[in-house]
Short mmCIF file of all heavy atoms in Angstrom, two decimals:
data_model
loop_
_atom_site.label_atom_id
_atom_site.label_comp_id
_atom_site.label_asym_id
_atom_site.label_seq_id
_atom_site.Cartn_x
_atom_site.Cartn_y
_atom_site.Cartn_z
N GLY A 321 64.10 122.91 54.72
CA GLY A 321 62.92 122.43 55.43
C GLY A 321 63.24 121.27 56.36
O GLY A 321 64.33 120.71 56.34
N LEU A 322 62.26 120.95 57.17
CA LEU A 322 62.37 119.78 58.05
C LEU A 322 62.02 118.52 57.27
O LEU A 322 61.15 118.55 56.40
CB LEU A 322 61.38 119.91 59.20
CG LEU A 322 61.68 120.89 60.30
CD1 LEU A 322 60.49 121.00 61.24
CD2 LEU A 322 62.91 120.45 61.07
N PRO A 323 62.63 117.40 57.63
CA PRO A 323 62.19 116.14 57.03
C PRO A 323 60.81 115.79 57.59
O PRO A 323 60.41 116.31 58.64
CB PRO A 323 63.25 115.13 57.49
CG PRO A 323 63.86 115.74 58.71
CD PRO A 323 63.73 117.23 58.57
N ASP A 324 60.10 114.95 56.89
CA ASP A 324 58.81 114.50 57.40
C ASP A 324 59.03 113.70 58.68
O ASP A 324 60.03 112.98 58.81
CB ASP A 324 58.09 113.62 56.38
CG ASP A 324 57.56 114.43 55.21
OD1 ASP A 324 57.28 115.64 55.40
OD2 ASP A 324 57.41 113.87 54.11
N PHE A 325 58.10 113.84 59.62
CA PHE A 325 58.17 113.06 60.85
C PHE A 325 56.74 112.84 61.36
O PHE A 325 55.81 113.54 60.97
CB PHE A 325 59.05 113.73 61.91
CG PHE A 325 58.57 115.08 62.38
CD1 PHE A 325 57.75 115.20 63.50
CD2 PHE A 325 58.92 116.23 61.69
CE1 PHE A 325 57.30 116.43 63.91
CE2 PHE A 325 58.49 117.47 62.11
CZ PHE A 325 57.67 117.58 63.22
N ASP A 326 56.59 111.87 62.23
CA ASP A 326 55.29 111.51 62.78
C ASP A 326 54.95 112.45 63.94
O ASP A 326 55.51 112.33 65.03
CB ASP A 326 55.33 110.05 63.25
CG ASP A 326 53.99 109.54 63.76
OD1 ASP A 326 53.02 110.34 63.84
OD2 ASP A 326 53.91 108.34 64.08
N ARG A 327 54.06 113.37 63.70
CA ARG A 327 53.69 114.36 64.72
C ARG A 327 53.01 113.74 65.94
O ARG A 327 53.05 114.31 67.03
CB ARG A 327 52.81 115.45 64.10
CG ARG A 327 53.63 116.39 63.24
CD ARG A 327 52.84 116.90 62.04
NE ARG A 327 53.67 117.71 61.14
CZ ARG A 327 54.47 117.20 60.21
NH1 ARG A 327 54.58 115.90 60.06
NH2 ARG A 327 55.18 117.99 59.43
N SER A 328 52.43 112.57 65.76
CA SER A 328 51.75 111.92 66.89
C SER A 328 52.73 111.49 67.98
O SER A 328 52.33 111.26 69.12
CB SER A 328 50.93 110.72 66.41
OG SER A 328 51.78 109.66 66.00
N LEU A 329 54.02 111.42 67.65
CA LEU A 329 55.03 111.08 68.65
C LEU A 329 55.13 112.14 69.74
O LEU A 329 55.68 111.90 70.80
CB LEU A 329 56.39 110.90 68.00
CG LEU A 329 56.53 109.75 67.01
CD1 LEU A 329 57.87 109.80 66.30
CD2 LEU A 329 56.34 108.42 67.72
N PHE A 330 54.59 113.31 69.47
CA PHE A 330 54.70 114.44 70.39
C PHE A 330 53.38 114.73 71.12
O PHE A 330 53.26 115.76 71.78
CB PHE A 330 55.17 115.68 69.63
CG PHE A 330 56.50 115.46 68.98
CD1 PHE A 330 56.58 114.95 67.69
CD2 PHE A 330 57.67 115.73 69.66
CE1 PHE A 330 57.81 114.72 67.09
CE2 PHE A 330 58.90 115.51 69.06
CZ PHE A 330 58.97 115.00 67.78
N ASP A 331 52.43 113.82 71.02
CA ASP A 331 51.11 114.03 71.63
C ASP A 331 51.16 114.18 73.15
O ASP A 331 50.28 114.80 73.73
CB ASP A 331 50.15 112.89 71.28
CG ASP A 331 49.68 112.95 69.84
OD1 ASP A 331 49.87 113.99 69.18
OD2 ASP A 331 49.11 111.94 69.36
N GLU A 332 52.16 113.61 73.78
CA GLU A 332 52.22 113.64 75.24
C GLU A 332 53.16 114.71 75.80
O GLU A 332 53.44 114.73 76.99
CB GLU A 332 52.60 112.26 75.77
CG GLU A 332 51.52 111.23 75.43
CD GLU A 332 51.79 109.86 76.01
OE1 GLU A 332 52.51 109.77 77.02
OE2 GLU A 332 51.28 108.89 75.44
N ILE A 333 53.61 115.60 74.95
CA ILE A 333 54.46 116.70 75.41
C ILE A 333 53.60 117.62 76.28
O ILE A 333 52.47 117.96 75.94
CB ILE A 333 55.05 117.49 74.22
CG1 ILE A 333 55.98 116.60 73.41
CG2 ILE A 333 55.74 118.76 74.68
CD1 ILE A 333 57.25 116.19 74.12
N SER A 334 54.14 118.03 77.40
CA SER A 334 53.39 118.88 78.32
C SER A 334 53.16 120.27 77.72
O SER A 334 53.97 120.74 76.91
CB SER A 334 54.14 119.03 79.65
OG SER A 334 55.32 119.80 79.46
N PRO A 335 52.08 120.91 78.12
CA PRO A 335 51.84 122.29 77.64
C PRO A 335 52.98 123.24 78.00
O PRO A 335 53.33 124.11 77.20
CB PRO A 335 50.54 122.68 78.34
CG PRO A 335 49.84 121.39 78.61
CD PRO A 335 50.95 120.41 78.90
N ALA A 336 53.58 123.07 79.17
CA ALA A 336 54.69 123.94 79.58
C ALA A 336 55.88 123.79 78.64
O ALA A 336 56.49 124.79 78.22
CB ALA A 336 55.09 123.64 81.01
N ALA A 337 56.24 122.56 78.29
CA ALA A 337 57.36 122.32 77.38
C ALA A 337 57.03 122.87 76.00
O ALA A 337 57.90 123.46 75.33
CB ALA A 337 57.68 120.84 77.31
N MET A 338 55.80 122.72 75.57
CA MET A 338 55.41 123.22 74.25
C MET A 338 55.44 124.75 74.22
O MET A 338 55.88 125.36 73.24
CB MET A 338 54.03 122.70 73.86
CG MET A 338 53.67 123.03 72.42
SD MET A 338 54.88 122.47 71.19
CE MET A 338 54.64 120.73 71.28
N GLN A 339 55.03 125.39 75.30
CA GLN A 339 55.07 126.86 75.37
C GLN A 339 56.50 127.37 75.27
O GLN A 339 56.77 128.34 74.56
CB GLN A 339 54.43 127.36 76.66
CG GLN A 339 52.93 127.42 76.60
CD GLN A 339 52.37 128.04 77.88
OE1 GLN A 339 52.77 127.67 78.99
NE2 GLN A 339 51.47 128.98 77.72
N LEU A 340 57.40 126.73 76.01
CA LEU A 340 58.81 127.12 75.94
C LEU A 340 59.34 126.96 74.51
O LEU A 340 60.01 127.84 73.98
CB LEU A 340 59.65 126.26 76.88
CG LEU A 340 59.76 126.70 78.32
CD1 LEU A 340 60.38 125.60 79.17
CD2 LEU A 340 60.60 127.96 78.41
N SER A 341 59.02 125.85 73.93
CA SER A 341 59.48 125.55 72.58
C SER A 341 58.92 126.56 71.57
O SER A 341 59.66 127.07 70.72
CB SER A 341 59.05 124.13 72.21
OG SER A 341 59.55 123.76 70.97
N GLN A 342 57.67 126.88 71.69
CA GLN A 342 57.06 127.85 70.77
C GLN A 342 57.69 129.23 70.95
O GLN A 342 57.88 129.96 69.98
CB GLN A 342 55.55 127.91 70.99
CG GLN A 342 54.85 126.66 70.50
CD GLN A 342 53.42 126.54 70.98
OE1 GLN A 342 53.03 127.12 71.99
NE2 GLN A 342 52.63 125.76 70.26
N ALA A 343 58.03 129.58 72.19
CA ALA A 343 58.67 130.87 72.45
C ALA A 343 60.04 130.95 71.77
O ALA A 343 60.40 131.98 71.20
CB ALA A 343 58.79 131.11 73.95
N VAL A 344 60.79 129.86 71.82
CA VAL A 344 62.11 129.84 71.17
C VAL A 344 61.95 129.90 69.65
O VAL A 344 62.64 130.67 68.98
CB VAL A 344 62.93 128.61 71.60
CG1 VAL A 344 64.21 128.49 70.79
CG2 VAL A 344 63.23 128.68 73.09
N VAL A 345 61.04 129.12 69.11
CA VAL A 345 60.81 129.13 67.66
C VAL A 345 60.41 130.54 67.20
O VAL A 345 60.87 131.02 66.16
CB VAL A 345 59.76 128.08 67.25
CG1 VAL A 345 59.33 128.26 65.80
CG2 VAL A 345 60.32 126.67 67.46
N ALA A 346 59.60 131.22 67.99
CA ALA A 346 59.16 132.58 67.64
C ALA A 346 60.33 133.55 67.56
O ALA A 346 60.27 134.53 66.80
CB ALA A 346 58.12 133.06 68.64
N LEU A 347 61.40 133.30 68.30
CA LEU A 347 62.56 134.19 68.26
C LEU A 347 63.20 134.22 66.87
O LEU A 347 63.82 135.22 66.50
CB LEU A 347 63.60 133.76 69.30
CG LEU A 347 63.19 133.90 70.76
CD1 LEU A 347 64.25 133.28 71.67
CD2 LEU A 347 62.96 135.36 71.12
N PHE A 348 63.05 133.16 66.12
CA PHE A 348 63.61 133.11 64.77
C PHE A 348 62.76 133.91 63.79
O PHE A 348 63.27 134.47 62.83
CB PHE A 348 63.75 131.66 64.29
CG PHE A 348 64.87 130.92 64.95
CD1 PHE A 348 64.63 130.11 66.05
CD2 PHE A 348 66.17 131.03 64.48
CE1 PHE A 348 65.65 129.43 66.67
CE2 PHE A 348 67.20 130.35 65.09
CZ PHE A 348 66.95 129.55 66.19
N GLY A 349 61.46 133.91 64.00
CA GLY A 349 60.57 134.70 63.17
C GLY A 349 60.17 134.13 61.83
O GLY A 349 59.28 134.66 61.18
N ASN A 350 60.81 133.05 61.39
CA ASN A 350 60.48 132.52 60.07
C ASN A 350 60.47 131.00 59.98
O ASN A 350 60.47 130.45 58.88
CB ASN A 350 61.46 133.08 59.02
CG ASN A 350 62.86 132.55 59.19
OD1 ASN A 350 63.25 132.10 60.26
ND2 ASN A 350 63.64 132.61 58.13
N LEU A 351 60.46 130.32 61.11
CA LEU A 351 60.46 128.86 61.09
C LEU A 351 59.04 128.31 61.18
O LEU A 351 58.18 128.92 61.82
CB LEU A 351 61.31 128.30 62.24
CG LEU A 351 62.81 128.55 62.14
CD1 LEU A 351 63.52 128.08 63.41
CD2 LEU A 351 63.39 127.87 60.92
#
Side-chain angles (χ1 to χ4, degrees):
L322 286 172
D324 287 334
F325 63 93
D326 183 356
R327 285 146 185 83
S328 70
L329 296 172
F330 301 89
D331 287 347
E332 296 184 25
I333 296 293
S334 69
M338 189 55 70
Q339 279 185 313
L340 274 168
S341 185
Q342 289 167 337
V344 172
V345 169
L347 294 173
F348 286 96
N350 69 338
L351 291 174

